Amino acid sequence: MIDYNHPAVRYYQEVSEQCIHYLSIDGVIFGFHENQLKVLLLRWKNTTEWSLPGGFIRKAESVDVAAQRVVQERTGLDKLYLQQFHVFGEANRYDQADTWARTKLPIQTVKWSERTISIGYYALVEHSKVVPTPDFMTDECCWWPIDNVPSLLFDHNNIINVALGSLRKQIEDQPINHLLPETFTIPELQRLYETILGYPLDARNFYKKIVGSGALERLSERRAGTPHKAPYLYRFKAKHL
């Protein structure tokens, strides 16, 4: 017997009526905090299972607008940098029976899609501005270090890996200032690059390259409270934001 009051059933009914069938959005929301690249994850209700934020595309909205909505609802941010990075459309993306069993949803009474194609977007956000917000299907929304992500539902571990690979390949062309506060030091910017790339950079070469790019403006203020000589603060010039 179908429990029409169950949130999963209500959600399925909404998707069936208002959304494009078999097509979804998965969002990889990157943040940088305490010298770690982090990703925002959701823990499903009454389980220890985690997944990426995601959702379906409404019939009256564009794909980009749907992605903005999905990420905005989880972060509380209305100004977002989003990059579409891949379409996940393999015929067998994951073990359907095992995955739905882990969610503890009443799939015995609901005919869920046998196959869904997912459009992946990654977002670059400033960690301190995010208000992590779970949805009605989840109990918790929080940051996980990229190197410590658990085994996720669906094929979401693979989606994160593909998103990170895409960010690494395009790092020179991406506005990574979205991951930083407005002002920062050159060593702090270097640590961000190293965290994304996954390997150390030579400090002198990095300084020459980043300052020589003309993208930064040096301020008169210095970073107080550092163990060595207080470094100058910088910010990205407006045309590079």
Side-chain angles (χ1 to χ4, degrees):
M1 185 174 182
I2 298 178
D3 178 6
Y4 289 99
N5 292 319
H6 193 285
V9 177
R10 295 202 304 270
Y11 179 62
Y12 176 79
Q13 291 173 328
E14 178 184 343
V15 169
S16 297
E17 295 170 1
Q18 301 180 18
C19 299
I20 301 172
H21 292 191
Y22 314 123
L23 188 63
S24 68
I25 298 290
D26 280 311
V28 183
I29 303 170
F30 288 121
F32 184 65
H33 181 59
E34 296 178 341
N35 293 327
Q36 290 183 307
L37 188 66
K38 297 185 177 183
V39 62
L40 203 63
L41 299 178
L42 294 165
R43 181 174 61 80
W44 287 52
K45 281 188 178 297
N46 304 315
T47 76
T48 58
E49 304 295 340
W50 295 82
S51 75
L52 290 168
F56 290 90
I57 303 164
R58 295 170 182 163
K59 294 177 181 177
E61 67 184 354
S62 71
V63 173
D64 287 343
V65 168
Q68 289 274 342
R69 171 176 55 79
V70 166
V71 175
Q72 181 180 357
E73 288 172 351
R74 303 286 71 80
T75 63
L77 301 178
D78 56 3
K79 294 182 179 180
L80 293 161
Y81 175 78
L82 285 171
Q83 177 69 44
Q84 185 184 129
F85 66 92
H86 194 72
V87 175
F88 298 88
E90 292 82 357
N92 296 301
R93 290 175 55 195
Y94 49 84
D95 186 325
Q96 289 274 7
D98 175 69
T99 298
W100 288 120
R102 288 165 62 188
T103 68
K104 300 182 180 179
L105 292 177
I107 60 171
Q108 296 83 0
T109 55
V110 174
K111 184 180 179 182
W112 296 91
S113 302
E114 293 181 0
R115 180 182 179 188
T116 299
I117 295 172
S118 177
I119 303 173
Y121 282 78
Y122 66 72
L124 307 180
V125 301
E126 186 184 338
H127 183 278
S128 65
K129 293 183 178 180
V130 172
V131 181
T133 306
D135 59 21
F136 65 90
M137 298 282 281
T138 58
D139 283 328
E140 188 176 3
C141 181
C142 66
W143 293 102
W144 281 75
I146 199 72
D147 294 328
N148 196 34
V149 170
S151 175
L152 303 178
L153 292 168
F154 312 106
D155 55 349
H156 288 185
N157 289 93
N158 178 55
I159 291 176
I160 291 175
N161 290 336
V162 176
L164 183 57
S166 179
L167 177 58
R168 284 172 173 168
K169 290 178 182 177
Q170 304 178 53
I171 190 170
E172 299 298 335
D173 300 318
Q174 298 301 301
I176 64 171
N177 59 286
H178 290 279
L179 291 165
L180 293 166
E182 182 179 357
T183 62
F184 48 86
T185 66
I186 295 295
E188 290 167 349
L189 181 59
Q190 180 176 335
R191 284 194 288 272
L192 172 58
Y193 271 86
E194 291 175 335
T195 302
I196 292 174
L197 294 172
Y199 55 81
L201 300 171
D202 180 80
R204 291 186 179 182
N205 288 339
F206 180 81
Y207 179 86
K208 290 179 182 178
K209 181 178 180 180
I210 200 69
V211 172
S213 70
L216 301 182
E217 175 186 0
R218 194 179 81 172
L219 308 180
S220 59
E221 299 96 328
R222 294 175 180 262
R223 172 74 74 212
T226 58
H228 306 290
K229 182 179 178 181
Y232 280 103
L233 291 172
Y234 288 77
R235 65 185 173 198
F236 281 93
K237 294 179 181 178
K239 66 179 181 180
H240 295 278
L241 296 176

